[in-house]
Amino acid sequence: MNVQASGARTTGGPAPGDDASEPARPLSTRGYLSGAAVLALLTVVVCYAFAGAALPAGQPLRILLGIVLPAVIVGGPLLAAYRGSSLSDQEWAAGRHVAARVAAARSRNASIASLGLTAFIAIVSLAGLLVFTNDGAVQKTFLNGEFMVKSAADIGKALLINVQIAIGAQILAMVFGLLLAVGRLLPGKGFWPVRALCIAYIDVFRGIPSVVLIYLVCFGLPLTEVPILSEGDPILYAVVALALTYSAYNAELYRAGIESINKSQTSAALSMGLSQPDVLRFVILPQMSRNIAAPMLSTFIGLQKDTALVIVVGIIDAFSQAKIYSANDFNLSAVTAVCFLFVLITIPQTRLVDYLLARSSTRKKGV
Amino acid sequence: MSTAFVELDQVTKKYGDHTVLDRVDLAVDRHEVVTLIGASGSGKSTLLRCVNGLETIQGGQISLNGDVVSGEGVDLVKLRRRVGIVFQSFNLFPHMTVLRNCTLTPVRAGVATRDQAEADARVMLERVGLKDKVGAYPDQLSGGQQQRVAIARAMLMRPQVLLLDEITSALDPELVIEVLNLVRELAADGITMMMTTHEMPFAREISSKICFLHKGSILEQGRPEEIFGAPRAPELRTFLRKIHEAGRD
């Protein structure tokens, strides 16, 4: 090893840290700075166009909001990046190599900050430009406040149908999905028919589009004229149809969650004399539920959105109600209002799960 | 009829075609501490898992206090409540506090009411030096503390036999001593124990009997002074020499 090292030193030039070697130059700042400057310039152009489309008022306001304001916002970090780059060059020339590297690093960081801020402003401005372009055609078609307000009350009432279907289907899908997952994981040769049945169910119902299943169940079951089965309410049929699909999704989530628990936990619980159901109830499921909380919420949000598919069987849900308004008004603002409502419902759920997971994690770590 | 408290008679354990335990005979008397030594893969841990019923055996018979506890039709849940086991990796339940880890099985098994189980657990945790950790979660404890909780958890079921499977192997050296001290106390209390360990001085100190396993068979067994002082089997002599060379004797 020593022989190799000394050999390398003699034949390969000065080793790192060798007094005779040239100090490493700071990483280049030019690329970052140029990129940030070009993007900033483009952003100001987009902002100016956006201000022109959105503000019918006079030129001074357009210049103020379209050029001066974005230039000030993105100009700060850009200026800092430029100063850092210049300072780095000066420090290097003066032989202060460490100070040069620090200044270069600060310049790169400021360039990256400028790039991020500029990209954000550019995207928002482009979206705004799209909304207000062509004399505000997009805004008038999708975001007309008058039509939104007019339809809001009826859409709000109809949204309760979506909520009912979502909650009902989710409860059924969680319970049935858990049974499917446990059935699929039953050990031993004797249970293979149960395992096969569960696997077949999951494969089949994950493969059928929700809208097709809703159509089949809601229109098909009443046609069968089988007692009880054919006498249900359309909303109940929709709940069942979605539960059939989502129980298959949930079963796979549960299975992944159960399999993610270390086998040693099961061994320990069994070795203490807990029964199999107790091991599942007290050891596996509580740990699993924490692992699958976030993906389970994602699936639930998917289910909430899929409730809008009941439009195909004539149930007047929020989307269906909005469609009636949009057809009457020749304007899609009511449908956009439905989008806003769905988003308003789902965001708090996501934040709640994030909060619960964070709280649980903090409590366990004793922070 | 044998008077041994735990008796393994011609026990054979296979994983597919691979024989892990090959016609093992072993007798453990009440209040004895029997230590299994041997190289990794010799079958020590598997033997303990068979006694606890975590592994099924393909041949022979295991009996506990005269009851056959292996084979078809054995109530494994009842068996495991009589035979406590502590693992190398602690295996505490991370979502439960220390107290809940200790009370879960006694309550579910009907050994004690929740109040009684909690009172017992507090006493036991005080004994293992963790009185102030009842509300802590396993993540908040050191390895040594977690292992002491695991031992307390096993002891709260008042097992007839306690199995200790390499319980210090996952611990930092400075934490080993606190766990070994606890095992010393249990041995002094007369708890019947079977354990596997690489802590040879400790095995020599507290064991009534040492069994040397090699490739699934017990090649030699006897009192510690016989095993360490006058080993007969060449494989045992080789094993002890390696232990000596590693400075672990």
Side-chain angles (χ1 to χ4, degrees), chain A residues 72-359:
Chain A
V72 167
I73 293 174
V74 302
L78 200 58
L79 196 61
Y82 175 73
R83 280 183 181 157
S85 182
S86 302
L87 183 62
S88 175
D89 291 341
Q90 289 166 18
E91 297 285 16
W92 185 261
R96 291 188 289 271
H97 301 144
V98 174
R101 290 187 197 114
V102 170
R106 285 186 181 149
S107 170
R108 284 196 305 278
N109 286 342
S111 295
I112 290 167
S114 172
L115 280 167
L117 191 60
T118 313
F120 174 78
I121 293 171
I123 290 167
V124 171
S125 300
L126 273 174
L129 186 60
L130 181 68
V131 169
F132 289 102
T133 197
N134 195 20
D135 198 20
V138 172
Q139 184 264 328
K140 287 172 189 165
T141 306
F142 293 104
L143 297 164
N144 190 310
E146 183 190 340
F147 290 126
M148 284 181 169
V149 170
K150 190 174 85 174
S151 60
D154 285 340
I155 289 175
K157 280 183 207 161
L159 187 71
L160 291 178
I161 302 286
N162 296 81
V163 173
Q164 281 176 31
I165 294 172
I167 292 175
Q170 178 69 0
I171 291 170
L172 285 179
M174 285 180 77
V175 174
F176 190 38
L178 183 59
L179 293 176
L180 285 168
V182 172
R184 182 170 182 170
L185 292 171
L186 284 174
K189 289 179 184 170
F191 282 116
W192 79 261
V194 179
R195 287 197 296 272
L197 208 59
C198 292
I199 290 169
Y201 177 92
I202 292 166
D203 287 352
V204 168
F205 281 89
R206 273 201 309 175
I208 300 174
S210 301
V211 68
V212 176
L213 207 57
I214 289 170
Y215 196 85
L216 284 173
V217 172
C218 292
F219 284 147
L221 285 184
L223 290 177
T224 62
E225 296 184 358
V226 175
I228 300 174
L229 271 185
S230 61
E231 295 158 10
D233 179 83
I235 291 176
L236 182 63
Y237 288 139
V239 167
V240 170
L242 285 169
L244 287 171
T245 300
Y246 277 85
S247 56
Y249 289 129
N250 287 348
E252 286 301 90
L253 271 181
Y254 284 127
R255 184 170 71 96
I258 290 171
E259 288 180 342
S260 73
I261 307 299
N262 197 315
K263 294 279 181 287
S264 62
Q265 288 283 299
T266 306
S267 282
L270 287 174
S271 76
M272 291 160 58
L274 285 176
S275 63
Q276 282 280 5
D278 276 356
V279 173
L280 194 65
R281 179 179 161 194
F282 293 105
V283 178
I284 304 300
L285 291 185
Q287 295 187 63
M288 176 211 72
S289 60
R290 192 182 137 70
N291 289 352
I292 67 165
M296 178 66 84
L297 178 73
S298 291
T299 311
F300 182 42
I301 288 172
L303 168 59
Q304 290 168 48
K305 292 189 295 182
D306 272 4
T307 59
L309 298 173
V310 298
I311 194 171
V312 298
V313 292
I315 295 173
I316 306 295
D317 76 317
F319 176 41
S320 181
Q321 186 68 68
K323 196 162 165 283
I324 293 168
Y325 272 99
S326 66
N328 289 338
D329 298 334
F330 297 105
N331 187 284
L332 290 169
S333 299
V335 180
T336 313
V338 174
C339 297
F340 283 132
L341 286 174
F342 271 99
V343 171
L344 276 177
I345 288 174
T346 53
I347 285 177
Q349 296 172 52
T350 315
R351 293 289 84 80
L352 177 67
V353 170
D354 287 349
Y355 166 74
L356 291 175
L357 288 176
R359 194 181 66 167

Side-chain angles (χ1 to χ4, degrees), chain A residues 265 270-273 278 282, chain B residues 80-81 92 95-96 105 108:
Chain A
Q265 288 283 299
L270 287 174
S271 76
M272 291 160 58
D278 276 356
F282 293 105
Chain B
R80 289 165 182 155
R81 287 172 186 172
L92 297 181
H95 59 297
M96 294 181 186
T105 314
R108 295 303 301 168

